[in-house]
Amino acid sequence: MGDRTRPTYPYRVFNSLSDRLTLTFRNLKRKGTVTESDLNATIRDIRLALLDADVALPVVKEFTGRVRERGLGAEVHQALNPAQQIVKIVNEELVAILGGQTRRLNLAKNPPTVIMLAGLQGSGKTTFAGKLAHLLKGQGHTPLLVAADLQRPNAVTQLEVVGERAGVSVFAPERGNVFGHDAALESGEGTRSFGDPVDVAVDGVEEARRKGHDVVIIDTAGRLAVDVDLMRQASDIRIETDADEVLFVIDAMIGQAAVETAKAFSDGVGITGSVLTKLDGDARGGAALSVATVTGQPILYASTGEGVKDIELFHPDRMASRILDM
Amino acid sequence: LSRGGLSDEDWEAVEDTLLASDLGVEATQELVDSLRTQVRVDGTTDPAQVRQWLHEDLLRLVDPSMDRRIAASREDGHPAVILVVGVNGTGKTTTVGKLGRVLVAEDKDVIFGAADTFRAAAADQLTTWGERVGVPTVRSHQEGADPASVAFEAVKAGVEMEADVVLIDTAGRLHTKRGLMDELGKIKRVVEKQAPVGEVLLVLDATTGQNGMRQAEEFAKEVDITGIVLTKMDGTAKGGIVVNVQRKLGVPVKLIGLGEGPDDLAPFDPEAFVSAIVG
Ligand SMILES: Nc1nc2c(ncn2[C@@H]2O[C@H](COP(=O)(O)OP(=O)(O)OP(=O)(O)O)[C@@H](O)[C@H]2O)c(=O)[nH]1
Ligand SMILES: Nc1nc2c(ncn2[C@@H]2O[C@H](COP(=O)(O)OP(=O)(O)OP(=O)(O)O)[C@@H](O)[C@H]2O)c(=O)[nH]1
Ligand SMILES: [K+]
Ligand SMILES: [Mg+2]
Ligand SMILES: [Mg+2]
């Protein structure tokens, strides 16, 4: 065997994509044309920028493929500033995938509108339930929050506090995991609920009908993409409540796991849109691109803080700039 | 790696494996560059050999020689104080609960301090964990109480009761929020009027991408991180960001979270971590 060369790790500073592309193209200006190898270098820059922003690998590949195709076309060759033209293409493609126009919530013709929230553990579902309820209340709706997470310790209490902060009613017939129970199953694998989340969800919709709430927001337990039982449970909630919207709530800080997670919720539960949370931080949020690509569904809202008012409509163009750091 | 020879596709597959584990572009490129050099020098065409080298290189980066023990014994007449910190929703409270269980099993007297007075029902959540694993929780029943005072009271109780360990749960906070980071620094300073904080565990979610590095840097600046807990490793995420975090901060990953149950906490095993990434 040959010498074991010990890896060395110089610190490298990556510039923003625009800087890098400008650099790549500086020498090309004189030439006036963009060769295949110029384009390859450019695609490599874009690839790195997207990976740095946590866009998932398969999505990066698909995306750069599309940019390459357009990059070979006349719009770049004939551009006065090919670098800028490429940036423009990248931006356009990003915005297109992220949804172009902002989509509104689908409200049912026959109320109540049922909105179910689903996602990984800790992604921000319960907090978002409060925000959405608060937002809708401000628009004249009469939302009801339904506590269908009976698994995480004191999830029901949390939703009750959140509901109080939002000034909306909470339907919580079960206390869930509160008395120091052991949430592990006897088999030692998986986690149990204390009460039936599907029943609670169904009863919640019934309660809304009875009391005249026109929107129902169902908070569910966090679940992993690989947890087959919990995925089926989420799917049951969706089917049994005939949910109008199933919103996939995802943390903007997530990395490469975004793709398989989005795919698992999309295939296993069926989602109609997504919510990107914790956008008040400094994560570039490449997950937005991954999720939009994988689910084919738009991102409806951005969650931007811990307070009940920290909710915004999702803006694809702003998100594109954020991902590209421009 | 395909058999016989290393094509561009082979190299791309190596790169993809690392990138898909959230190792990041920088660390990935460095590992691959070094591997390429090695392969060129050696002239090998054996994919198994290359994989073996990659395993070794990555393992060296993860550094099995680091001390990954948790400081959880009384010292100089004080209980050991462990502060648990991190951004929102990573698994801090759950980790406190599970770690409590481990320490109780080691026959230690443990106290929980519920210094998250902000998140809805956070103290209730920790109290439930305390009941579950048999640990008393010091808390405030007043929403928005001063977290530093609660932490102080918890450690004071630990000192008076001659407890072995006081585990302090703190509110999730984004590392970009100056006010909240200052508050964290204050919690630590106030606690240290009672007893030194021997361990500050930063809880990172394994699904976190490149932002994990930013989190680690900022928390380290504020409170001198002594160890990383990598949670949610029961999912498909590999948690590759900790490779960079370890080498840039020089702070080891000490524990991993493997689920939501009380026994779902394990020591970090470098070999298993590397195998999960490169096979
Ligand atoms: N900074 C910030 N924090 C958020 C945001 N959304 C939620 N959080 C915080 O993230 C943490 C987790 O939020 P939850 O709403 O409990 O998340 P969840 O998805 O319901 O979690 P599980 O029910 O345990 O799966 C809490 O500390 C929230 O305050 C956001 O947009 N910004
Ligand atoms: N699958 C899995 N879930 C986990 C693990 N650790 C924590 N969780 C879940 O993740 C969610 C968030 O956990 P918490 O312990 O509340 O997180 P936290 O960091 O205290 O959250 P905040 O205090 O709101 O910032 C809960 O649903 C936990 O049950 C783990 O190792 N694996
Ligand atoms: K894993
Ligand atoms: Mg929740
Ligand atoms: Mg907590």
Side-chain angles (χ1 to χ4, degrees):
Chain A
M1 291 300 106
D3 276 353
R4 299 285 291 126
T5 21
R6 204 185 160 82
T8 51
Y9 299 97
Y11 193 72
R12 208 176 310 165
V13 180
F14 290 106
N15 303 312
S16 78
L17 179 61
S18 306
D19 289 352
R20 268 186 279 162
L21 289 185
T22 306
L23 214 69
T24 308
F25 276 86
R26 196 158 54 197
N27 306 321
L28 301 179
K29 270 198 168 167
R30 281 173 285 134
K31 293 202 285 176
T33 55
V34 181
T35 66
E36 174 104 34
S37 85
D38 299 334
L39 188 62
N40 283 343
T42 308
I43 295 288
R44 176 121 190 119
D45 283 342
I46 295 168
R47 178 182 137 86
L48 292 183
L50 294 176
L51 286 169
D52 270 345
D54 286 322
V55 179
L57 203 49
V59 175
V60 170
K61 289 188 178 168
E62 202 181 312
F63 185 83
T64 49
R66 230 181 348 263
V67 173
R68 172 192 297 276
E69 222 164 86
R70 281 185 68 180
L72 290 168
E75 60 182 318
V76 173
H77 284 281
Q78 289 164 9
L80 279 176
N81 185 337
Q84 280 313 312
Q85 189 60 28
I86 295 246
V87 171
K88 187 159 166 278
I89 290 173
V90 171
N91 200 58
E92 280 172 14
E93 289 289 334
L94 270 178
V95 173
I97 293 172
L98 291 172
Q101 294 294 310
T102 310
R103 170 162 92 71
R104 297 289 168 141
L105 210 57
N106 279 323
L107 293 174
K109 287 205 186 70
N110 299 316
T113 297
V114 178
I115 303 167
M116 170 184 172
L117 307 179
L120 290 177
Q121 287 91 345
S123 60
K125 297 174 291 298
T126 307
T127 309
F128 181 75
K131 296 175 185 195
L132 184 59
H134 184 264
L135 181 79
L136 292 173
K137 187 185 168 208
Q139 295 170 356
H141 295 283
T142 52
L144 176 69
L145 289 167
V146 174
D149 177 356
L150 307 177
Q151 173 179 318
R152 173 205 175 136
N154 294 85
V156 175
T157 329
Q158 183 190 0
L159 189 70
E160 285 171 336
V161 175
V162 161
E164 205 175 286
R165 288 179 187 172
V168 301
S169 314
V170 179
F171 178 71
E174 297 275 0
R175 297 314 304 159
N177 186 355
V178 279
F179 297 120
H181 292 302
D182 193 332
L185 294 176
E186 259 128 56
S187 65
E189 279 168 36
T191 341
R192 78 170 87 213
S193 288
F194 299 87
D196 186 347
V198 184
D199 289 347
V200 168
V202 171
D203 293 349
V205 177
E206 200 38 56
E207 169 85 356
R209 215 164 260 133
R210 219 170 20 240
K211 301 253 173 88
H213 294 279
D214 68 341
V215 182
V216 180
I217 301 169
I218 304 169
D219 182 33
T220 67
R223 62 202 77 223
L224 292 174
V226 290
D227 194 329
V228 180
D229 292 342
L230 281 184
M231 281 308 211
R232 193 175 309 120
Q233 181 199 76
S235 168
D236 288 346
I237 294 177
R238 174 204 162 109
I239 293 166
E240 300 282 318
T241 61
D242 196 14
D244 299 283
E245 291 272 16
V246 182
L247 301 182
F248 174 54
V249 181
I250 187 163
D251 189 325
M253 294 179 278
I254 195 172
Q256 297 291 318
V259 156
E260 64 207 9
T261 306
K263 200 167 168 0
F265 278 89
S266 192
D267 297 349
V269 188
I271 63 176
T272 60
S274 301
V275 175
L276 205 59
T277 65
K278 306 181 198 174
L279 273 170
D280 45 325
D282 61 355
R284 299 270 294 284
L289 190 62
S290 308
V291 167
T293 303
V294 170
T295 67
Q297 302 291 341
I299 300 168
L300 272 67
Y301 295 101
S303 191
T304 55
E306 298 188 72
V308 86
K309 291 181 185 150
D310 301 326
I311 174 173
E312 292 170 17
L313 289 177
F314 180 79
H315 293 288
D317 49 341
R318 286 187 215 161
M319 197 65 219
S321 309
R322 181 174 177 138
I323 291 173
L324 295 177
D325 194 16
M326 302 194 304
Chain B
L1 299 181
S2 65
R3 315 184 122 269
L6 290 165
S7 61
D8 283 351
E9 286 77 51
D10 288 331
W11 283 112
E12 196 179 307
V14 172
E15 203 178 276
D16 286 1
T17 301
L18 299 175
L19 288 171
S21 308
D22 289 309
L23 223 71
V25 168
E26 197 185 329
T28 296
Q29 282 184 344
E30 287 159 3
L31 276 167
V32 171
D33 287 351
S34 137
L35 200 58
R36 272 179 181 273
T37 308
Q38 209 173 324
V39 166
R40 204 179 311 118
V41 170
D42 185 86
T44 187
T45 53
D46 177 10
Q49 175 65 75
V50 177
R51 187 195 301 271
Q52 170 73 21
W53 283 339
L54 181 60
H55 191 287
E56 285 168 19
D57 283 351
L58 187 55
L59 189 61
R60 192 174 305 118
L61 260 193
V62 177
D63 194 356
S65 74
M66 280 178 134
D67 183 359
R68 299 175 194 275
R69 286 170 302 180
I70 300 282
S73 298
R74 286 179 66 84
E75 224 170 291
D76 303 329
H78 293 297
V81 179
I82 303 177
L83 192 63
V84 179
V85 306
V87 300
N88 307 83
T90 53
K92 294 173 293 298
T93 306
T94 307
T95 298
V96 168
K98 294 191 256 188
L99 185 54
R101 164 85 135 220
V102 170
L103 297 171
V104 166
E106 290 173 1
D107 257 346
K108 293 199 149 99
D109 279 331
V110 184
I111 292 178
F112 288 165
D116 179 356
T117 58
F118 179 77
R119 221 283 301 282
D124 298 325
Q125 184 191 359
L126 185 65
T127 305
T128 292
W129 265 106
E131 287 165 357
R132 187 190 267 186
V133 302
V135 169
T137 302
V138 174
R139 62 173 293 181
S140 165
H141 284 277
Q142 189 197 328
E143 203 176 275
D146 177 19
S149 323
V150 179
F152 181 87
E153 289 304 324
V155 177
K156 186 157 169 263
V159 169
E160 283 164 4
M161 291 159 66
E162 298 188 3
D164 293 298
V165 190
V166 182
L167 272 165
I168 300 170
D169 183 29
T170 63
R173 67 198 77 226
L174 292 181
H175 53 285
T176 50
K177 309 224 158 155
R178 201 54 259 164
L180 295 179
M181 293 305 279
D182 287 345
E183 177 193 272
L184 190 62
K186 183 184 160 199
I187 292 175
K188 183 161 182 263
R189 283 194 303 278
V190 168
V191 161
E192 293 199 312
K193 289 179 184 162
Q194 287 279 344
V197 174
E199 193 85 71
V200 182
L201 298 176
L202 173 69
V203 180
L204 288 178
D205 182 327
T207 62
T208 308
Q210 301 310 299
N211 192 248
M213 192 62 225
R214 302 278 311 119
Q215 297 169 24
E217 282 168 347
E218 293 304 317
F219 275 94
K221 267 189 225 159
E222 192 62 48
V223 285
D224 286 331
I225 303 300
T226 59
I228 311 288
V229 181
L230 188 59
T231 59
K232 309 185 193 175
M233 285 291 277
D234 45 328
T236 50
K238 302 286 199 324
I241 187 64
V242 297
V243 173
N244 253 341
V245 170
Q246 273 204 168
R247 73 174 178 166
K248 289 201 176 140
L249 259 54
V251 170
V253 182
K254 293 189 169 176
L255 301 166
I256 60 168
L258 289 165
E260 300 181 76
D263 292 322
D264 296 329
L265 188 72
F268 176 75
D269 174 356
E271 179 66 40
F273 175 83
V274 169
S275 293
I277 294 176
V278 303

